[in-house]
Amino acid sequence: MSSHHTNPRSLLNAATRSLIERVERAGRPPMAVMTPLQAREFYDIGGPMLDLQPAPQVDRVEDIQIPARDGHAMPARLYAPRSEVALPVLLYIHGGGFSVGSLTTHDVLCRQLSRLGHCAVVSLDYRLAPEHRFPTAVLDSWDALNWLRQQGQALGLDTTRLAVGGDSAGGTLATVCALMARDAGLALCLQLLFYPGCIGRQDTASHHTFAEGFMLDKQTVDWFFANYIDEADRDDWRFAPMNAPDHSGLAPAWIGLAECDPLVDEGVQYADKLRMAGVPVDLEIYKGVVHGFITMGRAIPDALQAHADAGRALRAAFEVRDARSSRI
């Protein structure tokens, strides 16, 4: 990637550079010095300020609950366009380092994916660390995917056409769900991954190049992972999907990465790993933008391009499955 740049900040596009300068001038404290509750509140209020306003219109927005295996009722939100037929569905798992993020922080993105993907989107409020450490988020995500497969018809969804997606930590969880789905014989149409975390140790070149001054800094990454996982578990493939013993037979992947992101190298490596295993991969790298940009549509216009690309990938994946099932 771009690890040999003398000044990596010269890679940023104008909108992203301007945003970072505004954030630096505002002098906001890093999440790592906050309590998890403070960090969540801060992200719930501050995050949406960078996103599209007003939120895009979707015909149907409905709060639901999804049971986890231990009886916990997970809040979730269903988005869907008006439709005469049962819609395919994307389970969307939000980012936030397993520690922050909510239905609120990813509301605009889920509306966009529903509109542009011509599908239903179910956004999941899985349990967060440090109150709920690894592997709770994995199990919550997997339980939600299974519940949608089994109960989605009651919500008017076409559960034969199911996809899983997420950004950052949510991208990790979506990646892991795709691996678990393959092992359980649950056929997914697509795994839709925005800058997913894929490795157990943050030692790629991009982690060094973009460690400071690119929105997601090393201190925050370390804080997220300390909240979530024990050092001894960091090589578990349910945290580091690159370590899964076998990547063949997985659902096709659409992977959208940010060029100036500590996680960009592992995203490229994971795309390569999938391709080597024979999995169809569509990889997009958005130039000059940083980690988190897809929920910053007001500040970083490239987010709109990424939304459109992801929507197109969803439509295509669901149409392929639809054509296949109508021939059977």
Side-chain angles (χ1 to χ4, degrees):
M1 296 304 301
S2 27
S3 36
H4 302 303
H5 259 264
T6 44
N7 174 18
R9 282 188 77 149
S10 65
L11 295 168
L12 294 170
N13 66 27
T16 308
R17 184 176 301 127
S18 150
L19 170 64
I20 288 178
E21 285 165 0
R22 288 202 305 276
V23 167
E24 287 174 346
R25 275 201 302 276
R28 65 184 178 100
M31 280 190 189
V33 302
M34 303 181 192
T35 67
L37 282 175
Q38 287 169 334
R40 281 171 210 152
E41 275 172 31
F42 176 81
Y43 186 34
D44 267 19
I45 295 163
M49 287 162 71
L50 300 177
D51 219 330
L52 300 176
Q53 291 173 1
Q57 266 310 115
V58 178
D59 297 316
R60 179 182 176 196
V61 180
E62 197 179 314
D63 285 332
I64 59 173
Q65 289 191 326
I66 299 179
R69 62 189 61 195
D70 61 1
H72 168 74
M74 295 184 275
R77 189 171 293 155
L78 169 67
Y79 303 85
R82 195 165 284 117
S83 172
E84 298 306 309
V85 296
L87 287 162
V89 58
L90 167 71
L91 174 67
Y92 195 83
I93 309 169
H94 70 74
F98 309 100
S99 306
V100 302
S102 65
L103 302 181
T104 305
T105 56
H106 287 64
D107 177 67
V108 167
L109 176 61
C110 290
R111 287 167 180 268
Q112 285 283 78
L113 292 174
S114 175
R115 287 174 61 241
L116 299 166
H118 300 170
C119 63
V121 174
V122 172
S123 179
L124 179 68
D125 219 344
Y126 57 92
R127 285 172 281 186
L128 298 174
E131 298 89 337
H132 302 280
R133 289 171 62 83
F134 173 84
T136 305
V138 173
L139 302 178
D140 281 359
S141 302
W142 177 238
D143 289 351
L145 190 62
N146 278 297
W147 182 87
L148 269 183
R149 179 78 180 89
Q150 288 150 13
Q151 310 295 328
Q153 276 169 306
L155 295 166
L157 307 175
D158 176 358
T159 54
T160 65
R161 292 188 291 158
L162 191 54
V164 66
D167 58 294
S168 194
T172 306
L173 294 168
T175 303
V176 171
C177 279
L179 285 154
M180 294 170 85
R182 175 205 58 193
D183 294 345
L186 168 52
L188 298 175
C189 296
L190 187 70
Q191 40 179 330
L192 184 86
L193 311 172
F194 296 103
Y195 33 77
C198 300
I199 55 178
R201 316 277 156 186
Q202 283 51 57
D203 51 11
T204 59
S206 60
H207 273 285
H208 298 293
T209 305
F210 303 115
E212 305 294 332
F214 294 87
M215 296 298 274
L216 177 67
D217 53 37
K218 182 181 186 310
Q219 181 189 16
T220 307
V221 174
D222 291 345
W223 181 74
F224 283 150
F225 291 164
N227 281 338
Y228 179 59
I229 196 163
D230 294 343
E231 189 60 35
D233 288 329
R234 284 180 67 145
D235 295 314
D236 189 311
W237 64 266
R238 295 171 302 166
F239 174 70
M242 193 85 81
N243 295 346
D246 175 22
H247 293 82
S248 63
L250 291 172
W254 180 90
I255 302 176
L257 305 177
E259 183 187 21
C260 304
D261 178 356
L263 275 64
V264 66
D265 286 357
E266 67 202 75
V268 171
Q269 287 167 10
Y270 196 68
D272 287 345
K273 186 99 167 178
L274 293 181
R275 284 191 182 126
M276 296 290 285
V279 177
V281 176
D282 184 0
L283 174 65
E284 299 284 343
I285 301 178
Y286 297 91
K287 297 288 183 199
V289 297
V290 287
H291 192 86
F293 81 99
I294 51 152
T295 52
M296 302 175 183
R298 209 171 113 203
I300 302 180
D302 308 72
L304 303 182
Q305 183 61 52
H307 297 169
D309 293 341
R312 198 163 45 244
L314 283 165
R315 285 201 311 276
F318 289 138
E319 278 160 15
V320 166
R321 176 65 59 82
D322 201 28
R324 206 173 287 156
S325 55
S326 59
R327 282 203 306 271
I328 293 167

